[in-house]
Amino acid sequence: LAKTTQPISMDSYEGQEVNITCSHNNIATNDYITWYQQFPSQGPRFIIQGYKTKVTNEVASLFIPADRKSSTLSLPRVSLSDTAVYYCLVGDNYNFNKFYFGSGTKLNVKP
Amino acid sequence: EAGVTQFPSHSVIEKGQTVTLRCDPISGHDNLYWYRRVMGKEIKFLLHFVKESKQDESGMPNNRFLAERTGGTYSTLKVQPAELEDSGVYFCASRRDGHTEAFFGQGTRLTVV
């Protein structure tokens, strides 16, 4: 079970780009990197997933270096509504039960 | 498309009582997962159903917890008898076969007093 390390919290201001880095030194060859977002009183929500290099969708980008021992979630131009906890998960793509949530990163976006 | 629905949203019970949590996954999602977060701790896996079969129940804490998914549709998680340390938020998630994204419900907050 690949464990992850993320900063406990981050502060940002509206309109800024936010980069949250996650370390996963014991990532396995078959493991993918997935990021989830969680608002208070809600369940986690899928943001983005990748295996290597860069992945981009309508809400975020995910940068993964060649050694895959870390990854960076990039949120462009954050707003107050992006205040949430962000979890980096590493695991076999289809064995979701093997994902380790960790403590997540609490992002606080200020006006 | 309706999302994953959990019922109740909150439950307060006394120690020693029984509580049953329910999860309705997204229609067509064969995979159903239960997770929980107890106070101050991380979200942890409890078990995984594929249709009506328990694929992996390695995360179930003890035999006071019983999960079922009769007919491969909705699932229930029963705690009997409840203990104080069972307090927390119980999440259910579902995933369609061949797809990587799992969808979570809003969770059931269980308080044992």
PDB file of all heavy atoms in Angstrom, chain A residues 36 38 41-44 46 49 87 93-94 96-98 100-103, chain B residues 33 35 37 42-43 45 48 56 91 95 98-102 104-106:
ATOM      1  N   TYR A  36      -8.148  13.729  -5.163  1.00  0.00           N
ATOM      2  CA  TYR A  36      -9.539  13.956  -4.799  1.00  0.00           C
ATOM      3  C   TYR A  36      -9.646  15.255  -4.000  1.00  0.00           C
ATOM      4  O   TYR A  36      -8.709  15.654  -3.316  1.00  0.00           O
ATOM      5  CB  TYR A  36     -10.081  12.795  -3.951  1.00  0.00           C
ATOM      6  CG  TYR A  36     -10.602  11.628  -4.764  1.00  0.00           C
ATOM      7  CD1 TYR A  36      -9.728  10.741  -5.377  1.00  0.00           C
ATOM      8  CD2 TYR A  36     -11.973  11.436  -4.935  1.00  0.00           C
ATOM      9  CE1 TYR A  36     -10.197   9.682  -6.133  1.00  0.00           C
ATOM     10  CE2 TYR A  36     -12.459  10.382  -5.683  1.00  0.00           C
ATOM     11  CZ  TYR A  36     -11.570   9.506  -6.275  1.00  0.00           C
ATOM     12  OH  TYR A  36     -12.048   8.462  -7.022  1.00  0.00           O
ATOM     13  N   GLN A  38     -12.205  17.354  -1.231  1.00  0.00           N
ATOM     14  CA  GLN A  38     -13.309  17.150  -0.295  1.00  0.00           C
ATOM     15  C   GLN A  38     -13.690  18.452   0.393  1.00  0.00           C
ATOM     16  O   GLN A  38     -12.848  19.110   1.013  1.00  0.00           O
ATOM     17  CB  GLN A  38     -12.963  16.109   0.762  1.00  0.00           C
ATOM     18  CG  GLN A  38     -14.141  15.767   1.662  1.00  0.00           C
ATOM     19  CD  GLN A  38     -13.815  14.729   2.705  1.00  0.00           C
ATOM     20  OE1 GLN A  38     -12.675  14.562   3.099  1.00  0.00           O
ATOM     21  NE2 GLN A  38     -14.839  14.017   3.166  1.00  0.00           N
ATOM     22  N   SER A  41     -18.509  18.260   5.064  1.00  0.00           N
ATOM     23  CA  SER A  41     -19.807  17.557   5.052  1.00  0.00           C
ATOM     24  C   SER A  41     -20.125  16.932   3.698  1.00  0.00           C
ATOM     25  O   SER A  41     -21.297  16.690   3.394  1.00  0.00           O
ATOM     26  CB  SER A  41     -20.943  18.506   5.454  1.00  0.00           C
ATOM     27  OG  SER A  41     -20.713  19.024   6.739  1.00  0.00           O
ATOM     28  N   GLN A  42     -19.108  16.691   2.898  1.00  0.00           N
ATOM     29  CA  GLN A  42     -19.317  16.000   1.636  1.00  0.00           C
ATOM     30  C   GLN A  42     -18.300  14.874   1.494  1.00  0.00           C
ATOM     31  O   GLN A  42     -17.280  14.851   2.188  1.00  0.00           O
ATOM     32  CB  GLN A  42     -19.179  16.963   0.455  1.00  0.00           C
ATOM     33  CG  GLN A  42     -20.280  18.003   0.374  1.00  0.00           C
ATOM     34  CD  GLN A  42     -20.193  18.820  -0.907  1.00  0.00           C
ATOM     35  OE1 GLN A  42     -19.659  18.365  -1.907  1.00  0.00           O
ATOM     36  NE2 GLN A  42     -20.715  20.026  -0.862  1.00  0.00           N
ATOM     37  N   GLY A  43     -18.578  13.964   0.580  1.00  0.00           N
ATOM     38  CA  GLY A  43     -17.613  12.928   0.282  1.00  0.00           C
ATOM     39  C   GLY A  43     -16.542  13.438  -0.681  1.00  0.00           C
ATOM     40  O   GLY A  43     -16.742  14.453  -1.358  1.00  0.00           O
ATOM     41  N   PRO A  44     -15.408  12.766  -0.754  1.00  0.00           N
ATOM     42  CA  PRO A  44     -14.364  13.174  -1.692  1.00  0.00           C
ATOM     43  C   PRO A  44     -14.860  13.130  -3.143  1.00  0.00           C
ATOM     44  O   PRO A  44     -15.709  12.306  -3.491  1.00  0.00           O
ATOM     45  CB  PRO A  44     -13.266  12.125  -1.466  1.00  0.00           C
ATOM     46  CG  PRO A  44     -13.501  11.615  -0.080  1.00  0.00           C
ATOM     47  CD  PRO A  44     -14.987  11.623   0.085  1.00  0.00           C
ATOM     48  N   PHE A  46     -13.517  13.201  -7.237  1.00  0.00           N
ATOM     49  CA  PHE A  46     -12.407  12.992  -8.158  1.00  0.00           C
ATOM     50  C   PHE A  46     -12.066  14.297  -8.875  1.00  0.00           C
ATOM     51  O   PHE A  46     -12.946  15.010  -9.348  1.00  0.00           O
ATOM     52  CB  PHE A  46     -12.809  11.917  -9.179  1.00  0.00           C
ATOM     53  CG  PHE A  46     -11.801  11.677 -10.269  1.00  0.00           C
ATOM     54  CD1 PHE A  46     -10.841  10.697 -10.133  1.00  0.00           C
ATOM     55  CD2 PHE A  46     -11.842  12.409 -11.452  1.00  0.00           C
ATOM     56  CE1 PHE A  46      -9.926  10.450 -11.153  1.00  0.00           C
ATOM     57  CE2 PHE A  46     -10.939  12.176 -12.478  1.00  0.00           C
ATOM     58  CZ  PHE A  46      -9.982  11.186 -12.319  1.00  0.00           C
ATOM     59  N   GLN A  49      -6.379  12.330 -12.638  1.00  0.00           N
ATOM     60  CA  GLN A  49      -5.560  11.135 -12.474  1.00  0.00           C
ATOM     61  C   GLN A  49      -4.511  11.084 -13.566  1.00  0.00           C
ATOM     62  O   GLN A  49      -4.759  11.525 -14.698  1.00  0.00           O
ATOM     63  CB  GLN A  49      -6.450   9.884 -12.556  1.00  0.00           C
ATOM     64  CG  GLN A  49      -5.709   8.578 -12.331  1.00  0.00           C
ATOM     65  CD  GLN A  49      -6.640   7.402 -12.481  1.00  0.00           C
ATOM     66  OE1 GLN A  49      -7.037   7.021 -13.584  1.00  0.00           O
ATOM     67  NE2 GLN A  49      -7.015   6.807 -11.360  1.00  0.00           N
ATOM     68  N   TYR A  87      -6.665  15.400  -1.489  1.00  0.00           N
ATOM     69  CA  TYR A  87      -5.995  14.142  -1.185  1.00  0.00           C
ATOM     70  C   TYR A  87      -5.256  13.614  -2.411  1.00  0.00           C
ATOM     71  O   TYR A  87      -5.807  13.585  -3.518  1.00  0.00           O
ATOM     72  CB  TYR A  87      -7.008  13.080  -0.763  1.00  0.00           C
ATOM     73  CG  TYR A  87      -7.700  13.354   0.545  1.00  0.00           C
ATOM     74  CD1 TYR A  87      -8.967  13.931   0.552  1.00  0.00           C
ATOM     75  CD2 TYR A  87      -7.117  13.016   1.751  1.00  0.00           C
ATOM     76  CE1 TYR A  87      -9.619  14.170   1.742  1.00  0.00           C
ATOM     77  CE2 TYR A  87      -7.763  13.258   2.947  1.00  0.00           C
ATOM     78  CZ  TYR A  87      -9.018  13.837   2.938  1.00  0.00           C
ATOM     79  OH  TYR A  87      -9.657  14.067   4.117  1.00  0.00           O
ATOM     80  N   ASN A  93      -4.876   1.159 -10.564  1.00  0.00           N
ATOM     81  CA  ASN A  93      -5.981   1.933 -11.119  1.00  0.00           C
ATOM     82  C   ASN A  93      -7.362   1.381 -10.801  1.00  0.00           C
ATOM     83  O   ASN A  93      -8.313   2.124 -10.615  1.00  0.00           O
ATOM     84  CB  ASN A  93      -5.809   2.004 -12.631  1.00  0.00           C
ATOM     85  CG  ASN A  93      -6.200   3.349 -13.172  1.00  0.00           C
ATOM     86  OD1 ASN A  93      -6.387   4.296 -12.437  1.00  0.00           O
ATOM     87  ND2 ASN A  93      -6.360   3.444 -14.468  1.00  0.00           N
ATOM     88  N   TYR A  94      -7.471   0.074 -10.745  1.00  0.00           N
ATOM     89  CA  TYR A  94      -8.786  -0.517 -10.564  1.00  0.00           C
ATOM     90  C   TYR A  94      -8.988  -1.114  -9.184  1.00  0.00           C
ATOM     91  O   TYR A  94     -10.070  -1.547  -8.856  1.00  0.00           O
ATOM     92  CB  TYR A  94      -9.037  -1.578 -11.645  1.00  0.00           C
ATOM     93  CG  TYR A  94      -9.069  -0.985 -13.020  1.00  0.00           C
ATOM     94  CD1 TYR A  94      -7.966  -1.059 -13.855  1.00  0.00           C
ATOM     95  CD2 TYR A  94     -10.195  -0.299 -13.472  1.00  0.00           C
ATOM     96  CE1 TYR A  94      -7.991  -0.481 -15.110  1.00  0.00           C
ATOM     97  CE2 TYR A  94     -10.228   0.277 -14.724  1.00  0.00           C
ATOM     98  CZ  TYR A  94      -9.125   0.182 -15.543  1.00  0.00           C
ATOM     99  OH  TYR A  94      -9.145   0.753 -16.776  1.00  0.00           O
ATOM    100  N   PHE A  96      -9.379   0.213  -6.183  1.00  0.00           N
ATOM    101  CA  PHE A  96      -9.609   1.433  -5.426  1.00  0.00           C
ATOM    102  C   PHE A  96      -9.540   1.194  -3.934  1.00  0.00           C
ATOM    103  O   PHE A  96      -9.227   2.087  -3.156  1.00  0.00           O
ATOM    104  CB  PHE A  96     -10.952   2.035  -5.826  1.00  0.00           C
ATOM    105  CG  PHE A  96     -11.204   3.378  -5.225  1.00  0.00           C
ATOM    106  CD1 PHE A  96     -10.497   4.483  -5.645  1.00  0.00           C
ATOM    107  CD2 PHE A  96     -12.142   3.527  -4.219  1.00  0.00           C
ATOM    108  CE1 PHE A  96     -10.724   5.721  -5.089  1.00  0.00           C
ATOM    109  CE2 PHE A  96     -12.372   4.766  -3.660  1.00  0.00           C
ATOM    110  CZ  PHE A  96     -11.673   5.863  -4.092  1.00  0.00           C
ATOM    111  N   ASN A  97      -9.865  -0.030  -3.499  1.00  0.00           N
ATOM    112  CA  ASN A  97      -9.830  -0.336  -2.082  1.00  0.00           C
ATOM    113  C   ASN A  97      -8.426  -0.266  -1.516  1.00  0.00           C
ATOM    114  O   ASN A  97      -8.235  -0.232  -0.303  1.00  0.00           O
ATOM    115  CB  ASN A  97     -10.412  -1.719  -1.809  1.00  0.00           C
ATOM    116  CG  ASN A  97      -9.921  -2.754  -2.805  1.00  0.00           C
ATOM    117  OD1 ASN A  97     -10.045  -2.567  -3.992  1.00  0.00           O
ATOM    118  ND2 ASN A  97      -9.384  -3.841  -2.311  1.00  0.00           N
ATOM    119  N   LYS A  98      -7.435  -0.242  -2.373  1.00  0.00           N
ATOM    120  CA  LYS A  98      -6.062  -0.199  -1.889  1.00  0.00           C
ATOM    121  C   LYS A  98      -5.538   1.222  -1.736  1.00  0.00           C
ATOM    122  O   LYS A  98      -4.395   1.430  -1.376  1.00  0.00           O
ATOM    123  CB  LYS A  98      -5.141  -0.954  -2.851  1.00  0.00           C
ATOM    124  CG  LYS A  98      -5.534  -2.412  -3.046  1.00  0.00           C
ATOM    125  CD  LYS A  98      -5.529  -3.179  -1.743  1.00  0.00           C
ATOM    126  CE  LYS A  98      -5.826  -4.653  -1.978  1.00  0.00           C
ATOM    127  NZ  LYS A  98      -5.962  -5.388  -0.717  1.00  0.00           N
ATOM    128  N   TYR A 100      -4.645   4.752  -0.236  1.00  0.00           N
ATOM    129  CA  TYR A 100      -4.374   5.291   1.083  1.00  0.00           C
ATOM    130  C   TYR A 100      -4.643   6.787   1.038  1.00  0.00           C
ATOM    131  O   TYR A 100      -4.026   7.501   0.270  1.00  0.00           O
ATOM    132  CB  TYR A 100      -2.915   5.008   1.446  1.00  0.00           C
ATOM    133  CG  TYR A 100      -2.405   5.747   2.647  1.00  0.00           C
ATOM    134  CD1 TYR A 100      -2.755   5.344   3.939  1.00  0.00           C
ATOM    135  CD2 TYR A 100      -1.561   6.838   2.513  1.00  0.00           C
ATOM    136  CE1 TYR A 100      -2.277   6.026   5.045  1.00  0.00           C
ATOM    137  CE2 TYR A 100      -1.081   7.525   3.614  1.00  0.00           C
ATOM    138  CZ  TYR A 100      -1.447   7.102   4.878  1.00  0.00           C
ATOM    139  OH  TYR A 100      -0.979   7.767   5.974  1.00  0.00           O
ATOM    140  N   PHE A 101      -5.587   7.252   1.854  1.00  0.00           N
ATOM    141  CA  PHE A 101      -5.991   8.643   1.777  1.00  0.00           C
ATOM    142  C   PHE A 101      -5.017   9.596   2.430  1.00  0.00           C
ATOM    143  O   PHE A 101      -4.853  10.727   1.991  1.00  0.00           O
ATOM    144  CB  PHE A 101      -7.394   8.819   2.367  1.00  0.00           C
ATOM    145  CG  PHE A 101      -8.483   8.672   1.363  1.00  0.00           C
ATOM    146  CD1 PHE A 101      -8.974   7.421   1.021  1.00  0.00           C
ATOM    147  CD2 PHE A 101      -9.005   9.778   0.722  1.00  0.00           C
ATOM    148  CE1 PHE A 101      -9.975   7.291   0.070  1.00  0.00           C
ATOM    149  CE2 PHE A 101     -10.014   9.655  -0.230  1.00  0.00           C
ATOM    150  CZ  PHE A 101     -10.485   8.409  -0.558  1.00  0.00           C
ATOM    151  N   GLY A 102      -4.394   9.218   3.490  1.00  0.00           N
ATOM    152  CA  GLY A 102      -3.511  10.143   4.188  1.00  0.00           C
ATOM    153  C   GLY A 102      -4.295  11.280   4.803  1.00  0.00           C
ATOM    154  O   GLY A 102      -5.524  11.255   4.886  1.00  0.00           O
ATOM    155  N   SER A 103      -3.582  12.281   5.244  1.00  0.00           N
ATOM    156  CA  SER A 103      -4.217  13.397   5.951  1.00  0.00           C
ATOM    157  C   SER A 103      -4.710  14.484   5.001  1.00  0.00           C
ATOM    158  O   SER A 103      -5.500  15.339   5.373  1.00  0.00           O
ATOM    159  CB  SER A 103      -3.229  14.002   6.943  1.00  0.00           C
ATOM    160  OG  SER A 103      -2.060  14.423   6.262  1.00  0.00           O
TER     161      SER A 103
ATOM    162  N   TYR B  33     -17.875   0.478  -2.319  1.00  0.00           N
ATOM    163  CA  TYR B  33     -16.880   0.527  -1.253  1.00  0.00           C
ATOM    164  C   TYR B  33     -17.457   1.236  -0.028  1.00  0.00           C
ATOM    165  O   TYR B  33     -18.208   2.193  -0.161  1.00  0.00           O
ATOM    166  CB  TYR B  33     -15.648   1.317  -1.706  1.00  0.00           C
ATOM    167  CG  TYR B  33     -15.033   0.851  -3.010  1.00  0.00           C
ATOM    168  CD1 TYR B  33     -15.523   1.306  -4.230  1.00  0.00           C
ATOM    169  CD2 TYR B  33     -13.945  -0.017  -3.027  1.00  0.00           C
ATOM    170  CE1 TYR B  33     -14.963   0.896  -5.424  1.00  0.00           C
ATOM    171  CE2 TYR B  33     -13.374  -0.429  -4.214  1.00  0.00           C
ATOM    172  CZ  TYR B  33     -13.886   0.030  -5.409  1.00  0.00           C
ATOM    173  OH  TYR B  33     -13.322  -0.378  -6.597  1.00  0.00           O
ATOM    174  N   TYR B  35     -15.987   3.215   3.358  1.00  0.00           N
ATOM    175  CA  TYR B  35     -14.847   3.828   4.037  1.00  0.00           C
ATOM    176  C   TYR B  35     -15.366   4.490   5.306  1.00  0.00           C
ATOM    177  O   TYR B  35     -16.560   4.748   5.438  1.00  0.00           O
ATOM    178  CB  TYR B  35     -14.210   4.925   3.167  1.00  0.00           C
ATOM    179  CG  TYR B  35     -13.289   4.444   2.077  1.00  0.00           C
ATOM    180  CD1 TYR B  35     -13.790   3.928   0.892  1.00  0.00           C
ATOM    181  CD2 TYR B  35     -11.909   4.524   2.223  1.00  0.00           C
ATOM    182  CE1 TYR B  35     -12.931   3.494  -0.114  1.00  0.00           C
ATOM    183  CE2 TYR B  35     -11.044   4.101   1.230  1.00  0.00           C
ATOM    184  CZ  TYR B  35     -11.572   3.588   0.064  1.00  0.00           C
ATOM    185  OH  TYR B  35     -10.719   3.176  -0.920  1.00  0.00           O
ATOM    186  N   ARG B  37     -14.105   7.573   8.451  1.00  0.00           N
ATOM    187  CA  ARG B  37     -13.140   8.415   9.129  1.00  0.00           C
ATOM    188  C   ARG B  37     -13.586   8.534  10.570  1.00  0.00           C
ATOM    189  O   ARG B  37     -14.651   9.126  10.831  1.00  0.00           O
ATOM    190  CB  ARG B  37     -13.036   9.817   8.528  1.00  0.00           C
ATOM    191  CG  ARG B  37     -12.087  10.695   9.336  1.00  0.00           C
ATOM    192  CD  ARG B  37     -12.210  12.156   9.001  1.00  0.00           C
ATOM    193  NE  ARG B  37     -11.372  12.460   7.857  1.00  0.00           N
ATOM    194  CZ  ARG B  37     -11.803  13.164   6.825  1.00  0.00           C
ATOM    195  NH1 ARG B  37     -13.031  13.622   6.790  1.00  0.00           N
ATOM    196  NH2 ARG B  37     -10.992  13.405   5.827  1.00  0.00           N
ATOM    197  N   GLU B  42      -7.541   9.396   9.617  1.00  0.00           N
ATOM    198  CA  GLU B  42      -7.665   9.471   8.169  1.00  0.00           C
ATOM    199  C   GLU B  42      -8.820   8.616   7.664  1.00  0.00           C
ATOM    200  O   GLU B  42      -9.307   7.738   8.363  1.00  0.00           O
ATOM    201  CB  GLU B  42      -6.358   8.990   7.527  1.00  0.00           C
ATOM    202  CG  GLU B  42      -5.181   9.872   7.866  1.00  0.00           C
ATOM    203  CD  GLU B  42      -3.871   9.108   7.942  1.00  0.00           C
ATOM    204  OE1 GLU B  42      -3.872   7.891   7.728  1.00  0.00           O
ATOM    205  OE2 GLU B  42      -2.837   9.753   8.207  1.00  0.00           O
ATOM    206  N   ILE B  43      -9.215   8.878   6.435  1.00  0.00           N
ATOM    207  CA  ILE B  43     -10.239   8.063   5.797  1.00  0.00           C
ATOM    208  C   ILE B  43      -9.644   6.688   5.531  1.00  0.00           C
ATOM    209  O   ILE B  43      -8.585   6.568   4.899  1.00  0.00           O
ATOM    210  CB  ILE B  43     -10.697   8.698   4.470  1.00  0.00           C
ATOM    211  CG1 ILE B  43     -11.332  10.071   4.730  1.00  0.00           C
ATOM    212  CG2 ILE B  43     -11.687   7.778   3.756  1.00  0.00           C
ATOM    213  CD1 ILE B  43     -11.663  10.842   3.454  1.00  0.00           C
ATOM    214  N   PHE B  45     -10.288   2.503   4.397  1.00  0.00           N
ATOM    215  CA  PHE B  45     -11.078   1.498   3.686  1.00  0.00           C
ATOM    216  C   PHE B  45     -11.649   0.480   4.660  1.00  0.00           C
ATOM    217  O   PHE B  45     -10.970   0.032   5.593  1.00  0.00           O
ATOM    218  CB  PHE B  45     -10.164   0.816   2.672  1.00  0.00           C
ATOM    219  CG  PHE B  45     -10.702  -0.466   2.106  1.00  0.00           C
ATOM    220  CD1 PHE B  45     -11.671  -0.443   1.116  1.00  0.00           C
ATOM    221  CD2 PHE B  45     -10.238  -1.699   2.560  1.00  0.00           C
ATOM    222  CE1 PHE B  45     -12.156  -1.622   0.574  1.00  0.00           C
ATOM    223  CE2 PHE B  45     -10.718  -2.870   2.026  1.00  0.00           C
ATOM    224  CZ  PHE B  45     -11.680  -2.838   1.030  1.00  0.00           C
ATOM    225  N   HIS B  48     -15.083  -3.865   0.152  1.00  0.00           N
ATOM    226  CA  HIS B  48     -15.358  -3.690  -1.261  1.00  0.00           C
ATOM    227  C   HIS B  48     -16.274  -4.815  -1.734  1.00  0.00           C
ATOM    228  O   HIS B  48     -15.973  -5.997  -1.529  1.00  0.00           O
ATOM    229  CB  HIS B  48     -14.027  -3.714  -2.028  1.00  0.00           C
ATOM    230  CG  HIS B  48     -14.144  -3.765  -3.512  1.00  0.00           C
ATOM    231  ND1 HIS B  48     -13.174  -4.363  -4.300  1.00  0.00           N
ATOM    232  CD2 HIS B  48     -15.074  -3.288  -4.370  1.00  0.00           C
ATOM    233  CE1 HIS B  48     -13.525  -4.243  -5.571  1.00  0.00           C
ATOM    234  NE2 HIS B  48     -14.670  -3.605  -5.632  1.00  0.00           N
ATOM    235  N   ASP B  56     -13.282  -7.787  -0.884  1.00  0.00           N
ATOM    236  CA  ASP B  56     -12.213  -7.510   0.069  1.00  0.00           C
ATOM    237  C   ASP B  56     -12.839  -6.893   1.307  1.00  0.00           C
ATOM    238  O   ASP B  56     -13.469  -5.846   1.209  1.00  0.00           O
ATOM    239  CB  ASP B  56     -11.200  -6.552  -0.552  1.00  0.00           C
ATOM    240  CG  ASP B  56     -10.011  -6.252   0.360  1.00  0.00           C
ATOM    241  OD1 ASP B  56     -10.046  -6.583   1.556  1.00  0.00           O
ATOM    242  OD2 ASP B  56      -9.036  -5.656  -0.138  1.00  0.00           O
ATOM    243  N   PHE B  91     -18.378   6.681   4.764  1.00  0.00           N
ATOM    244  CA  PHE B  91     -18.568   7.024   3.360  1.00  0.00           C
ATOM    245  C   PHE B  91     -18.786   5.760   2.545  1.00  0.00           C
ATOM    246  O   PHE B  91     -18.177   4.717   2.788  1.00  0.00           O
ATOM    247  CB  PHE B  91     -17.347   7.751   2.795  1.00  0.00           C
ATOM    248  CG  PHE B  91     -17.115   9.108   3.376  1.00  0.00           C
ATOM    249  CD1 PHE B  91     -16.110   9.313   4.313  1.00  0.00           C
ATOM    250  CD2 PHE B  91     -17.884  10.190   2.978  1.00  0.00           C
ATOM    251  CE1 PHE B  91     -15.886  10.568   4.854  1.00  0.00           C
ATOM    252  CE2 PHE B  91     -17.662  11.460   3.505  1.00  0.00           C
ATOM    253  CZ  PHE B  91     -16.666  11.638   4.444  1.00  0.00           C
ATOM    254  N   ARG B  95     -18.151   2.537  -8.216  1.00  0.00           N
ATOM    255  CA  ARG B  95     -17.329   2.687  -9.427  1.00  0.00           C
ATOM    256  C   ARG B  95     -17.824   1.709 -10.474  1.00  0.00           C
ATOM    257  O   ARG B  95     -18.102   0.532 -10.166  1.00  0.00           O
ATOM    258  CB  ARG B  95     -15.861   2.399  -9.100  1.00  0.00           C
ATOM    259  CG  ARG B  95     -14.915   2.536 -10.264  1.00  0.00           C
ATOM    260  CD  ARG B  95     -13.454   2.315  -9.829  1.00  0.00           C
ATOM    261  NE  ARG B  95     -13.219   0.963  -9.349  1.00  0.00           N
ATOM    262  CZ  ARG B  95     -13.020  -0.106 -10.120  1.00  0.00           C
ATOM    263  NH1 ARG B  95     -13.041   0.024 -11.428  1.00  0.00           N
ATOM    264  NH2 ARG B  95     -12.798  -1.297  -9.584  1.00  0.00           N
ATOM    265  N   GLY B  98     -14.288  -1.143 -15.260  1.00  0.00           N
ATOM    266  CA  GLY B  98     -13.546  -0.628 -16.396  1.00  0.00           C
ATOM    267  C   GLY B  98     -13.289   0.864 -16.338  1.00  0.00           C
ATOM    268  O   GLY B  98     -12.607   1.410 -17.200  1.00  0.00           O
ATOM    269  N   HIS B  99     -13.817   1.511 -15.336  1.00  0.00           N
ATOM    270  CA  HIS B  99     -13.596   2.939 -15.165  1.00  0.00           C
ATOM    271  C   HIS B  99     -12.787   3.163 -13.887  1.00  0.00           C
ATOM    272  O   HIS B  99     -12.859   2.391 -12.945  1.00  0.00           O
ATOM    273  CB  HIS B  99     -14.932   3.688 -15.066  1.00  0.00           C
ATOM    274  CG  HIS B  99     -15.689   3.701 -16.350  1.00  0.00           C
ATOM    275  ND1 HIS B  99     -15.961   4.857 -17.056  1.00  0.00           N
ATOM    276  CD2 HIS B  99     -16.229   2.701 -17.066  1.00  0.00           C
ATOM    277  CE1 HIS B  99     -16.637   4.554 -18.138  1.00  0.00           C
ATOM    278  NE2 HIS B  99     -16.820   3.256 -18.176  1.00  0.00           N
ATOM    279  N   THR B 100     -12.021   4.233 -13.867  1.00  0.00           N
ATOM    280  CA  THR B 100     -11.119   4.448 -12.739  1.00  0.00           C
ATOM    281  C   THR B 100     -11.682   5.396 -11.691  1.00  0.00           C
ATOM    282  O   THR B 100     -11.218   5.412 -10.561  1.00  0.00           O
ATOM    283  CB  THR B 100      -9.784   5.025 -13.239  1.00  0.00           C
ATOM    284  OG1 THR B 100     -10.044   6.257 -13.930  1.00  0.00           O
ATOM    285  CG2 THR B 100      -9.098   4.066 -14.174  1.00  0.00           C
ATOM    286  N   GLU B 101     -12.677   6.182 -12.051  1.00  0.00           N
ATOM    287  CA  GLU B 101     -13.177   7.181 -11.116  1.00  0.00           C
ATOM    288  C   GLU B 101     -14.207   6.579 -10.173  1.00  0.00           C
ATOM    289  O   GLU B 101     -15.163   5.938 -10.612  1.00  0.00           O
ATOM    290  CB  GLU B 101     -13.792   8.351 -11.873  1.00  0.00           C
ATOM    291  CG  GLU B 101     -14.317   9.462 -10.973  1.00  0.00           C
ATOM    292  CD  GLU B 101     -14.867  10.638 -11.778  1.00  0.00           C
ATOM    293  OE1 GLU B 101     -14.641  10.680 -13.000  1.00  0.00           O
ATOM    294  OE2 GLU B 101     -15.530  11.494 -11.160  1.00  0.00           O
ATOM    295  N   ALA B 102     -14.005   6.795  -8.891  1.00  0.00           N
ATOM    296  CA  ALA B 102     -14.967   6.377  -7.880  1.00  0.00           C
ATOM    297  C   ALA B 102     -15.758   7.588  -7.410  1.00  0.00           C
ATOM    298  O   ALA B 102     -15.203   8.666  -7.231  1.00  0.00           O
ATOM    299  CB  ALA B 102     -14.259   5.721  -6.700  1.00  0.00           C
ATOM    300  N   PHE B 104     -18.203   9.235  -4.538  1.00  0.00           N
ATOM    301  CA  PHE B 104     -18.532   9.106  -3.124  1.00  0.00           C
ATOM    302  C   PHE B 104     -19.899   9.694  -2.804  1.00  0.00           C
ATOM    303  O   PHE B 104     -20.340  10.659  -3.444  1.00  0.00           O
ATOM    304  CB  PHE B 104     -17.503   9.845  -2.270  1.00  0.00           C
ATOM    305  CG  PHE B 104     -16.231   9.091  -2.055  1.00  0.00           C
ATOM    306  CD1 PHE B 104     -15.248   9.066  -3.030  1.00  0.00           C
ATOM    307  CD2 PHE B 104     -16.010   8.407  -0.870  1.00  0.00           C
ATOM    308  CE1 PHE B 104     -14.066   8.364  -2.821  1.00  0.00           C
ATOM    309  CE2 PHE B 104     -14.831   7.714  -0.651  1.00  0.00           C
ATOM    310  CZ  PHE B 104     -13.866   7.694  -1.635  1.00  0.00           C
ATOM    311  N   GLY B 105     -20.524   9.120  -1.783  1.00  0.00           N
ATOM    312  CA  GLY B 105     -21.707   9.738  -1.211  1.00  0.00           C
ATOM    313  C   GLY B 105     -21.298  10.818  -0.232  1.00  0.00           C
ATOM    314  O   GLY B 105     -20.109  11.046   0.015  1.00  0.00           O
ATOM    315  N   GLN B 106     -22.299  11.469   0.346  1.00  0.00           N
ATOM    316  CA  GLN B 106     -22.009  12.589   1.234  1.00  0.00           C
ATOM    317  C   GLN B 106     -21.602  12.131   2.632  1.00  0.00           C
ATOM    318  O   GLN B 106     -21.139  12.919   3.448  1.00  0.00           O
ATOM    319  CB  GLN B 106     -23.225  13.529   1.326  1.00  0.00           C
ATOM    320  CG  GLN B 106     -24.301  13.106   2.315  1.00  0.00           C
ATOM    321  CD  GLN B 106     -25.185  11.984   1.799  1.00  0.00           C
ATOM    322  OE1 GLN B 106     -24.962  11.429   0.714  1.00  0.00           O
ATOM    323  NE2 GLN B 106     -26.201  11.629   2.558  1.00  0.00           N
TER     324      GLN B 106
END
